[in-house]
Short mmCIF file of all heavy atoms in Angstrom, two decimals:
data_model
loop_
_atom_site.label_atom_id
_atom_site.label_comp_id
_atom_site.label_asym_id
_atom_site.label_seq_id
_atom_site.Cartn_x
_atom_site.Cartn_y
_atom_site.Cartn_z
N LEU A 264 99.91 82.95 134.55
CA LEU A 264 100.88 82.67 133.48
C LEU A 264 100.70 83.64 132.32
O LEU A 264 101.69 84.15 131.78
CB LEU A 264 100.71 81.22 133.01
CG LEU A 264 101.63 80.77 131.88
CD1 LEU A 264 103.08 80.84 132.32
CD2 LEU A 264 101.27 79.37 131.41
N ARG A 265 99.46 83.92 131.94
CA ARG A 265 99.20 84.87 130.85
C ARG A 265 99.73 86.27 131.19
O ARG A 265 100.37 86.93 130.38
CB ARG A 265 97.69 84.94 130.55
CG ARG A 265 97.37 85.76 129.32
CD ARG A 265 95.90 85.77 128.96
NE ARG A 265 95.30 84.46 128.97
CZ ARG A 265 94.18 84.14 129.66
NH1 ARG A 265 93.55 85.05 130.35
NH2 ARG A 265 93.69 82.93 129.61
N ALA A 266 99.49 86.72 132.42
CA ALA A 266 99.98 88.03 132.86
C ALA A 266 101.51 88.05 132.86
O ALA A 266 102.12 89.06 132.44
CB ALA A 266 99.44 88.36 134.23
N ALA A 267 102.15 86.98 133.31
CA ALA A 267 103.59 86.93 133.34
C ALA A 267 104.17 86.98 131.93
O ALA A 267 105.19 87.62 131.69
CB ALA A 267 104.06 85.68 134.08
N LYS A 268 103.54 86.29 130.98
CA LYS A 268 104.01 86.29 129.59
C LYS A 268 103.92 87.69 128.99
O LYS A 268 104.81 88.14 128.28
CB LYS A 268 103.21 85.30 128.74
CG LYS A 268 103.58 83.87 128.94
CD LYS A 268 102.78 82.97 128.01
CE LYS A 268 103.18 81.52 128.13
NZ LYS A 268 102.38 80.68 127.24
N GLU A 269 102.82 88.39 129.25
CA GLU A 269 102.65 89.75 128.72
C GLU A 269 103.70 90.69 129.30
O GLU A 269 104.26 91.52 128.58
CB GLU A 269 101.24 90.25 128.99
CG GLU A 269 100.18 89.56 128.16
CD GLU A 269 98.75 89.98 128.55
OE1 GLU A 269 98.60 90.90 129.37
OE2 GLU A 269 97.81 89.38 128.00
N GLN A 270 103.96 90.57 130.58
CA GLN A 270 104.98 91.40 131.21
C GLN A 270 106.37 91.09 130.63
O GLN A 270 107.18 92.00 130.41
CB GLN A 270 104.99 91.21 132.72
CG GLN A 270 103.77 91.81 133.41
CD GLN A 270 103.72 91.48 134.88
OE1 GLN A 270 104.52 90.68 135.38
NE2 GLN A 270 102.79 92.09 135.58
N ALA A 271 106.65 89.82 130.40
CA ALA A 271 107.94 89.44 129.83
C ALA A 271 108.10 89.99 128.43
O ALA A 271 109.19 90.45 128.05
CB ALA A 271 108.08 87.91 129.84
N ARG A 272 107.02 89.94 127.64
CA ARG A 272 107.08 90.50 126.27
C ARG A 272 107.37 92.00 126.35
O ARG A 272 108.17 92.53 125.58
CB ARG A 272 105.77 90.27 125.53
CG ARG A 272 105.68 88.97 124.85
CD ARG A 272 104.51 88.93 123.88
NE ARG A 272 104.05 87.55 123.79
CZ ARG A 272 102.92 87.06 124.32
NH1 ARG A 272 102.10 87.87 124.95
NH2 ARG A 272 102.61 85.81 124.20
N ALA A 273 106.70 92.69 127.23
CA ALA A 273 106.91 94.14 127.36
C ALA A 273 108.34 94.43 127.79
O ALA A 273 108.99 95.33 127.25
CB ALA A 273 105.92 94.72 128.36
N ARG A 274 108.87 93.70 128.78
CA ARG A 274 110.26 93.91 129.19
C ARG A 274 111.23 93.57 128.09
O ARG A 274 112.22 94.27 127.87
CB ARG A 274 110.56 93.04 130.43
CG ARG A 274 110.02 93.63 131.72
CD ARG A 274 110.60 92.91 132.92
NE ARG A 274 110.55 91.48 132.85
CZ ARG A 274 109.59 90.71 133.34
NH1 ARG A 274 108.55 91.27 133.96
NH2 ARG A 274 109.62 89.40 133.23
N GLY A 275 110.94 92.51 127.32
CA GLY A 275 111.82 92.11 126.22
C GLY A 275 111.83 93.15 125.11
O GLY A 275 112.88 93.47 124.55
N ALA A 276 110.69 93.72 124.79
CA ALA A 276 110.63 94.76 123.77
C ALA A 276 111.38 95.99 124.19
O ALA A 276 112.12 96.61 123.40
CB ALA A 276 109.18 95.10 123.43
N ALA A 277 111.23 96.38 125.47
CA ALA A 277 111.94 97.55 125.97
C ALA A 277 113.45 97.29 125.95
O ALA A 277 114.24 98.17 125.57
CB ALA A 277 111.48 97.89 127.38
N ALA A 278 113.87 96.10 126.35
CA ALA A 278 115.30 95.79 126.34
C ALA A 278 115.85 95.77 124.93
O ALA A 278 116.96 96.22 124.68
CB ALA A 278 115.52 94.42 127.03
N GLN A 279 115.07 95.25 124.00
CA GLN A 279 115.50 95.21 122.59
C GLN A 279 115.68 96.61 122.03
O GLN A 279 116.64 96.88 121.32
CB GLN A 279 114.47 94.43 121.75
CG GLN A 279 114.84 94.25 120.31
CD GLN A 279 116.03 93.28 120.14
OE1 GLN A 279 116.31 92.48 121.02
NE2 GLN A 279 116.70 93.39 119.01
#
Side-chain angles (χ1 to χ4, degrees):
L264 179 62
R265 188 177 312 128
K268 283 183 178 180
E269 288 174 7
Q270 289 174 352
R272 274 193 210 107
R274 281 193 311 267
Q279 183 70 20

